Amino acid sequence: AQSVTQLGSHVSVSEGALVLLRCNYSSSVPPYLFWYVQYPNQGLQLLLKYTSAATLVKGINGFEAEFKKSETSFHLTKPSAHMSDAAEYFCAVSGAGQNFVFGPGTRLSVLP
Amino acid sequence: DAGITQSPRHKVTETGTPVTLRCHQTENHRYMYWYRQDPGHGLRLIHYSYGVKDTDKGEVSDGYSVSRSKTEDFLLTLESATSSQTSVYFCAIAKDGGGYSDTQYFGPGTRLTVL
C-alpha cells in the first residue's frame, strides 16, 4: 500500500522568499511522484512529475522537486515566491499495480 | 485545457435523493477517474474506468456507482445521497494509456451539497 504525508497543512512565506513544501511517501514498489497545484475553485494542474529519469525534476512556474530515495521524500521548492503562487499544493504517488494516492495538501500563502 | 467538462458544476440536494454527476471528455481517452476532495484528505479515488463498460472500485466506493456506456462519458451516481457525501467531485483522465506513470488531467469539479 502507498501513502503520502505533507508536513504542514498551511505554509506562509513572504514574496521573494524561498518556497519549500514537504512531501514524504511510502511505497512497496518503485514510486512515480507528482506535484499538482490547485487554484481556488479550479481543478488540479500538474506542476511536475518524477518517473525515474532524473532525481531533480523541473516543472512549470519555476518550481522543482528532488527525489531522495533514502529519505523517501519529494519536496517541492521555488527560489523566489510570487503572489500568484498562492494556492493549494498536492503531492501524489503511484506505482506498478497501484492507483494514485494523494497527500492531504498544503495551502501556500504569499505575504506582500 | 484537458478537454474535460463536468456537469452540473454545483448541486444542492436533499438526503435520500439520487444524484448523477457527468464527466465528458473530448479526446476519447481510455482511462477515466472519479475522485472526491475533502479538507484534510486530499483527493480520494471513488471509481475508475479503463474502457466502455469496464470499471473498478477505488478507495471510497461505498455508496457510489458508475457507468460508462460511451468512451467520452463517465457517470457517477449516488443512489441515495447522504450528508457525508457533501464534497467536491473531480473527474480525471489519463492521456497516455492509463499506466501508473501517466499524468492524470482534471476537470473543473462539481460542488455537491447534501442537506
Side-chain angles (χ1 to χ4, degrees), chain A residues 5-74:
Chain A
T5 57
Q6 293 183 239
L7 185 62
S9 60
H10 184 204
V11 171
S12 292
V13 300
S14 298
E15 191 173 19
L18 172 71
V19 175
L20 170 60
L21 303 181
R22 299 178 186 274
C23 171
N24 288 89
Y25 69 92
S26 68
S27 178
S28 58
V29 296
Y32 290 81
L33 294 155
F34 304 78
W35 274 102
Y36 283 85
V37 60
Q38 184 181 33
Y39 299 102
N41 300 313
Q42 294 186 25
L44 278 70
Q45 302 173 32
L46 180 72
L47 273 178
L48 50 82
K49 71 176 185 180
Y50 166 76
T51 58
S52 77
T55 57
L56 183 63
V57 182
K58 295 187 183 299
I60 62 171
N61 301 337
F63 285 94
E64 64 181 35
E66 185 173 10
F67 172 69
K68 292 187 177 181
K69 183 178 179 179
S70 62
E71 299 178 8
T72 61
S73 68
F74 190 57

Side-chain angles (χ1 to χ4, degrees), chain B residues 5-22:
Chain B
T5 57
Q6 293 185 233
S7 58
R9 294 293 313 281
H10 301 271
K11 186 171 183 64
V12 179
T13 191
E14 294 189 350
T15 297
T17 60
V19 176
T20 295
L21 308 182
R22 179 181 183 238

Side-chain angles (χ1 to χ4, degrees), chain A residues 55-107:
Chain A
T55 57
L56 183 63
V57 182
K58 295 187 183 299
I60 62 171
N61 301 337
F63 285 94
E64 64 181 35
E66 185 173 10
F67 172 69
K68 292 187 177 181
K69 183 178 179 179
S70 62
E71 299 178 8
T72 61
S73 68
F74 190 57
H75 301 331
L76 182 70
T77 60
K78 182 174 180 177
S80 177
H82 191 273
M83 297 296 289
S84 61
D85 295 327
E88 189 148 22
Y89 292 80
F90 294 93
C91 182
V93 63
S94 70
Q98 308 287 334
N99 286 311
F100 267 52
V101 173
F102 285 86
T106 297
R107 184 164 61 91

